[in-house]
Amino acid sequence: MKRKLLTFFIGCVVATAMCAQTKITLNTDLGKTKISKHIYGHFAEHLGHCIYGGIYVGEKNTKIPHTAGIRNDIIQALKDLKIPNLRWPGGCFADAYQWKDGIGPKEKRPSMINVWWGGAKEDNSFGTHDFLDLCERIGAEPYLAGNVGSGTVKDLSDWVSYVNHPGGSPMADLRKQNGREKPWNVKMWGVGNEAWGCGGNMTAEYYANVYRQYATFMNDWSKDAKLYKIASGASDGDYAWTETLMKNIPHHMLAGVALHHYSVLSWQDKGPSVNFTEAQYFKTMEEAWKMEEFVAKHSTIMDKYDPQKKVDLIVDEWGGWYNVEDGTNPGFLYQQNTMRDAMIAGLTLNVFNNHADRVRGANLAQIVNVLQAVILTNEEKMILTPTYHVMKMYNVHQDATLIPIMIDAPQYEFQGKKLTAVSASASKDAAGKINISLTNIDYSKAHEVTINLRGENFSKVSGQLLSSPKINDHNTFEQPNKVAPKSFTGAKLDKGVLKLNIPAYSVIMLTVEK
Ligand code: AHR
């Protein structure tokens, strides 16, 4: 018995010594690319309880504290998150939305049926003013998605004028009549959404022409509102779509090209959001890792037509997509959010940061009560999800300088298939601090990490850890803080070398200072 134990012990030591380690080298004095804060954007669609019952509970609500109908707890949580931009009103809904129905006295606004999402009645009580005021309250830049699929060039041109014209035009006068004197000066505009699908089932060639037509009549009404126009982009690996837009749209009319990618098991059966198997977990991670390939290959195509990288790649929909929770409307896309979602967020944000020379915007789908939400609500209760915590931990990278990274990482193996287990990205902030984000997606193994900090001398390290005993752990209205970040003191800094262990399925943010 004793001998067996000894053999086991020696075996462990040998195995540990041979264990693949994560080796990272950071040249802390070499960064030159800014990580655009807009990579940390969010998305709010008129879908299920994202807007109604989520963000907006109505001016007449007496149960839930609100400001002009917007929940106060949500305003605070979104301010804390430091949201750089918020995309609205869709998604697919954007190409059915008539913005003129959402202005003026609320009791007079016409209703419509939300054909894309559960056939819900849309009473238009949350409209342009409500959304743009919300953005002002939370300090986010609005990103308006224009209706190209079922609207007209004039509708979109009028919307731009309504929100941006300083005064003395029919649309500015209408805005003032509706209670808003000053223009909002909205810069970010989507010219349609998923034009290849719910936005009109167009070919890339046809859409490129439609884009040119719409963009021509979207005017810059002042120097403070120079429009940043984003073309409806490809889904996943549809590189021909990106190539056609880059080739056929003059670049002076094009600030960004979008890309959508969801981490979904299969569109026929998306699997459960909580009680998933390891096979389902592995597949979700495989899908999440595809973002690296998609971003790299779409960027390569963009490089061919735009070697100076003037046109941005905007991943304005990304995240995990599962079957809806039992008993909820299948058209409302309500799902729970576990440590698996924290893994999608951590690795995807590392991918975006490391491609910051081309990826200059992204929007997680979606912000409240829909898909990979950062916030879930139930009447007066509100919880923050593991994804919220990752987005908050990573917000130190916003507008910081990307530090080029060299990484040699171990593999997470499952049934003969392999994925990179540990991903990382690093940046230097305005005060000279280096922030390093690490995500270990391994289902069962912790990994040793060694980080060589070259170029400068540092003396202090601190950190935060998001980890939980089980991979499907999540927050509930009964246990809202089951998954929450904790301070992490496990990183040791010695002569410019950091050493730590990153637990299985966890996220760490390290900060090193001089
Ligand atoms: O985010 C949900 C939907 O997914 C969006 O409305 C659409 O753009 C995409 O297909």
Side-chain angles (χ1 to χ4, degrees):
M1 180 65 165
K2 256 190 192 161
R3 205 156 133 177
K4 242 187 185 172
L5 263 181
L6 188 67
T7 319
F8 173 70
F9 179 67
I10 293 169
C12 260
V13 172
V14 172
T16 310
M18 293 190 323
C19 225
Q21 287 195 358
T22 303
K23 290 191 183 129
I24 294 174
T25 304
L26 295 176
N27 291 305
T28 64
D29 54 342
L30 285 190
K32 58 178 194 306
T33 304
K34 183 163 100 172
I35 298 176
S36 169
K37 64 178 179 181
H38 290 296
I39 283 176
Y40 291 82
H42 288 262
F43 171 32
E45 180 162 14
H46 284 236
L47 194 178
H49 293 300
C50 181
I51 301 289
Y52 299 111
I55 293 172
Y56 178 75
V57 289
E59 288 82 346
K60 294 193 184 126
N61 195 304
T62 51
K63 248 174 69 192
I64 303 169
H66 62 85
T67 306
I70 311 282
R71 295 177 69 119
N72 290 345
D73 51 2
I74 288 210
I75 293 176
Q76 192 54 52
L78 297 183
K79 269 183 174 172
D80 294 345
L81 197 50
K82 271 178 68 185
I83 292 188
N85 75 76
L86 185 56
R87 179 174 182 245
W88 177 84
C92 293
F93 182 76
D95 282 295
Y97 186 58
Q98 303 298 326
W99 72 268
K100 284 178 185 156
D101 292 347
I103 55 169
K106 295 203 170 180
E107 61 289 354
K108 291 200 183 141
R109 294 185 188 174
S111 294
M112 67 182 280
I113 297 298
N114 190 334
V115 287
W116 291 111
W117 306 117
K121 186 176 164 196
E122 165 64 60
D123 67 4
N124 280 304
S125 54
F126 185 92
T128 299
H129 290 248
D130 306 86
F131 175 70
L132 296 178
D133 291 350
L134 162 70
C135 289
E136 283 186 342
R137 283 183 220 286
I138 62 174
E141 261 194 59
Y143 168 9
L144 293 177
N147 179 346
V148 165
S150 72
T152 64
V153 176
K154 177 161 172 17
D155 287 339
L156 187 47
S157 172
D158 279 354
W159 203 15
V160 174
S161 177
Y162 185 85
V163 300
N164 284 357
H165 196 282
S169 74
M171 284 298 121
D173 291 348
L174 183 59
R175 180 189 72 231
K176 290 181 189 188
Q177 199 181 305
N178 288 331
R180 171 79 186 197
E181 186 62 30
K182 280 190 318 189
W184 284 281
N185 289 335
V186 176
K187 298 190 190 77
M188 299 175 83
W189 290 85
V191 183
N193 168 73
E194 298 196 347
W196 40 264
C198 65
N201 283 303
M202 302 176 201
T203 63
E205 287 76 11
Y206 182 79
Y207 172 70
N209 282 338
V210 169
Y211 176 96
R212 292 163 63 133
Q213 185 188 8
Y214 273 75
T216 303
F217 296 93
M218 296 169 72
N219 300 309
D220 297 336
W221 287 115
S222 76
K223 63 173 176 21
D224 298 327
K226 191 153 170 22
L227 302 195
Y228 179 95
K229 295 171 202 158
I230 301 165
S232 162
S235 172
D236 304 329
D238 184 355
Y239 304 113
W241 184 275
T242 300
E243 175 131 29
T244 304
L245 301 195
M246 290 302 291
K247 193 163 52 183
N248 293 358
I249 302 174
H251 293 181
H252 72 271
M253 300 180 91
L254 186 65
V257 170
L259 167 68
H260 289 180
H261 170 57
Y262 285 98
S263 300
V264 63
L265 297 181
S266 111
W267 290 107
Q268 286 67 43
D269 182 6
K270 306 177 195 77
S273 64
V274 175
N275 295 315
F276 48 87
T277 61
E278 182 171 0
Q280 290 170 322
Y281 173 75
F282 188 90
K283 175 73 179 149
T284 307
M285 292 303 109
E286 209 168 36
E287 287 300 316
W289 259 123
K290 282 186 186 165
M291 188 64 88
E292 169 64 39
E293 178 188 330
F294 294 147
V295 160
K297 291 190 178 163
H298 284 285
S299 298
T300 304
I301 288 164
M302 293 175 79
D303 288 349
K304 183 168 145 197
Y305 296 93
D306 171 33
Q308 289 178 314
K309 299 187 192 290
K310 290 191 173 151
V311 180
D312 301 342
L313 182 59
I314 308 292
V315 190
D316 57 14
E317 287 185 33
W318 67 274
W321 192 327
Y322 316 114
N323 291 334
V324 298
E325 293 306 295
D326 286 347
T328 65
N329 186 328
F332 282 11
L333 310 186
Y334 178 80
Q335 63 190 39
Q336 246 301 352
N337 193 293
T338 68
M339 285 302 295
R340 171 173 62 171
D341 296 278
M343 296 302 99
I344 299 176
L347 89 78
T348 305
L349 293 172
N350 284 334
V351 168
F352 291 160
N353 288 344
N354 289 326
H355 286 277
D357 61 339
R358 182 65 85 175
V359 179
R360 300 200 185 96
N363 300 78
L364 174 63
Q366 298 193 2
I367 196 159
V368 178
N369 291 333
V370 171
L371 299 178
Q372 193 176 338
V374 289
I375 294 174
L376 300 176
T377 64
N378 182 8
E379 298 292 336
E380 65 281 13
K381 295 187 182 153
M382 183 200 86
I383 53 174
L384 307 177
T385 65
T387 302
Y388 177 97
H389 296 305
V390 176
M391 295 291 291
K392 189 160 178 225
M393 285 163 75
Y394 273 57
N395 73 20
V396 289
H397 289 309
Q398 291 187 20
D399 281 347
T401 304
L402 178 73
I403 302 291
I405 191 165
M406 279 179 280
I407 176 162
D408 180 8
Q411 303 288 303
Y412 158 36
E413 294 191 33
F414 177 72
Q415 293 184 342
K417 289 171 110 186
K418 291 179 183 176
L419 288 173
T420 301
V422 179
S423 65
S425 61
S427 67
K428 184 189 277 188
D429 70 12
K433 290 183 195 166
I434 306 287
N435 290 300
I436 308 161
S437 45
L438 300 157
T439 295
N440 176 15
I441 62 165
D442 204 308
Y443 192 81
S444 51
K445 285 191 204 136
H447 289 287
E448 276 180 49
V449 181
T450 304
I451 305 173
N452 265 293
L453 300 164
R454 286 200 196 142
E456 289 171 310
N457 294 321
F458 298 93
S459 63
K460 270 195 276 180
V461 57
S462 57
Q464 272 196 306
L465 165 72
L466 187 75
S467 185
S468 201
K470 294 203 199 116
I471 184 76
N472 58 0
D473 278 346
H474 55 281
N475 293 331
T476 61
F477 297 101
E478 292 70 41
Q479 265 192 296
N481 297 316
K482 184 173 174 133
V483 181
K486 294 175 192 70
S487 143
F488 177 70
T489 52
K492 302 292 166 235
L493 175 63
D494 185 29
K495 298 189 190 85
V497 178
L498 273 170
K499 280 192 188 291
L500 63 139
N501 268 301
I502 182 163
Y505 48 89
S506 68
V507 174
I508 290 177
M509 178 64 74
L510 297 173
T511 303
V512 289
E513 296 171 62
K514 288 188 178 153

